[in-house]
Amino acid sequence: MRRGPLLLLLITAAHLAMLLSYAFVYPTWAGYDEAQHVDMVYGLQHGDGWPAPGRKMIASGVAATSDDFDRGRYADMFQSGGKRRGAEPFAEIDPTPRGERRSFDELGGPTPVDDGRLSNQMVQHPPMIYAAGALLLDALPGSDGWPYDQQVFVLRLLNILVVGPLPVLGFLAARRFGLGEPAALAAAALPLAIPGFTRVGATFNNDGILMLTTGALTVVLAGVMRGDLRRRTALWAGLWFGLALLSKAFALTTPVIIVAAYLVGWWRVRRAGGTSDVQTGSDVQGGSDVQAGSDVQVTSGGPDGGGVRTGRERSRLGSCWGLVRSLPWVPGALAVGLGLAVGGWWWVRNYVLYDAVQPNGWATNPPRREPLLLPDSFLTWFWYFVRTMISRFWGGLGMFEPPQLSPIAIVLATVVVVGLSVVAVVGGGQRRLARPEGGGAGARPDDAVGRGVRLWGAASVVVLLLPVAFAYLSVGQRSWGDYKVYTRGIAVQGRYLYLGLVGLGVVVALGLSRVLRARERFGPLVVLIGAVLMQGAALLAVCSYYWLPRQVSFTPARIPDVVSAIGRWAPFPTGVTIATFVLAAVSLVAALFAAATLGSLQPDRTAAGVIVAAGRTGTTPGTVPAQLVGSQPAAVQPEPAPTEVDSR
């Protein structure tokens, strides 16, 4: 295998190993609303269906053990200052011996609790991931008799498998967007650098399936923005959009992102004289497609977004009517329409039954545990919202507040990511062109790329950031509305931004490649080093807070004590826990070594770097220049053209 794909494999392996490690570091029920999510699966297994808001009470079998975390003897540990007030950490608590842990059925079964507590609010979400969990447990013989923590661990494994492909999706999205292999590998490594994401991915919830579906959609839209306006591509976009709608309400803003991507792709094709720099024609979405000069050419002419534009159509583009007709109406409508058909029915159902697109899952206004934010003003709320979202994006490590990632790590990581994103937006699609190896005519200066290409590049980068931006605004709108009523900062969770992680990874990788320039091949190593530092800081905070006794500080000599304490709480023998931690360490070291080896290689001067303008290099109109497609089949031999190199 070439070093690039091998490094991608190692990054993905390290990602999966870290997810497994966090599944042991966080004991059963220590995930966000994990008991409520598991209860939805357990209810489907026992024929509860999908009750109306306020009608789904948590099962007695689930509450028997989860209550200790949510409202019982462990609850104070998760509150700010809990350990200082005397709350015992897990290291000082003797869990039920592994051989004495019982199943949900034995702990009380599906009988709903009747103690007057609030209902299970997860009925407000679509049932896709819960149905998948129920099917998985039902497919495992005898799983209904397993101890409760082993049943929950199976559901955690399901979520790990769901978010496991995110590094691969980041790599594919970056390549389809036009980035070179080193930059694409850097995009693949970004999820490893966010401990809060690793924590969410390692527990059972409905966030993971939203990350997967929106990430896959980002891969498709990355090609759309480079001119892939085919109907087949639109159908893939519609499928992933529809599945996202069946994941969580944050997907409701996705049609705007799809339309924006198609407008950017149409703009690029129109400027390029009717050609796309994404090869087209393959039967496999996202793979290598038709060769340059074949009889399939993607254009924006015609109402279906495809076909070869005639001279009469080109002349009509000067008029407003011609411009309107040239818009990709059919592929855009296919993508949005199919998505609404696949997943939109759920939200229509909600509106018909409950007069709300997403009803209040409790059917009442619950008491709020968040602290008062005083003085009562917009600035008070705004400052709390901004700093809390940033803190919980990188290091939402506790159920409420503690443990927390170091503020220094949070600030540094935020500055780096925001700075690289700004570089990517400002830099746009501009790239230096030079004469090919061995001489040849046609070299063009940097200015030849043109202002239009820079604008297109900036617009495409902004589209990649839209999922994060829309989620941020949605959370802010809801939080501000609740603050005006309760004067508390409610539902401010950085994990809601993870749905845009794939697009964010591409943008960060693009900015990093522009900063490193000729040393772009070191990009994966830089991101992986940052990931190791962030994960190390996060694990230090978690293990010091949960897995060491009070008044005891962490030192390397305490590692056996930490592992032993985690092993007592784990659903499997301690040897499994140790093996998982060793696997994670070995995977990270192997990925770092492979990235360092890649960085030590001489730069490949013929590799595709970043985005350039299609149809502006003097090639025959209607063909795809070789330097725009990265790795073109050997059978394609276009006329000599300028070759992309890194800016010096």
Side-chain angles (χ1 to χ4, degrees), residues 221 223-229 259-271 275-276 298-300 328 456 460:
L221 296 183
V224 168
M225 288 189 289
R226 291 183 70 209
D228 187 354
L229 307 181
V259 171
Y262 271 98
L263 288 176
V264 170
W266 162 81
W267 181 16
R268 183 184 184 97
V269 170
R270 183 168 177 268
R271 286 187 53 83
T275 59
S276 163
V298 175
T299 77
S300 60
W456 171 86
S460 58

Side-chain angles (χ1 to χ4, degrees), residues 135-159:
L135 289 173
L136 175 61
L137 285 174
D138 287 342
L140 297 174
S143 62
D144 55 347
W146 294 354
Y148 74 93
D149 54 347
Q150 293 184 14
Q151 295 186 53
V152 174
F153 197 86
V154 169
L155 296 178
R156 288 186 170 190
L157 287 178
L158 172 63
N159 205 49

Side-chain angles (χ1 to χ4, degrees), residues 498-589:
Y498 297 153
L499 82 167
L501 204 53
V502 170
L504 179 63
V506 176
V507 174
V508 169
L510 173 57
L512 185 61
S513 69
R514 294 187 63 83
V515 170
L516 295 176
R517 298 196 176 191
R519 296 175 178 82
E520 180 183 354
R521 63 193 185 280
F522 288 101
L525 180 61
V526 170
V527 178
L528 283 173
I529 290 175
V532 170
L533 294 175
M534 292 292 287
Q535 293 288 0
L539 288 173
L540 176 61
V542 174
C543 293
S544 297
Y545 191 84
Y546 287 155
W547 299 112
L548 284 177
R550 287 165 290 180
Q551 309 302 323
V552 175
S553 300
F554 179 86
T555 64
R558 293 286 181 181
I559 292 178
D561 297 335
V562 170
V563 174
S564 175
I566 294 174
R568 291 199 308 270
W569 283 79
F572 305 107
T574 303
V576 177
T577 303
I578 296 173
T580 301
F581 292 164
V582 171
L583 176 63
V586 170
S587 299
L588 282 173
V589 170

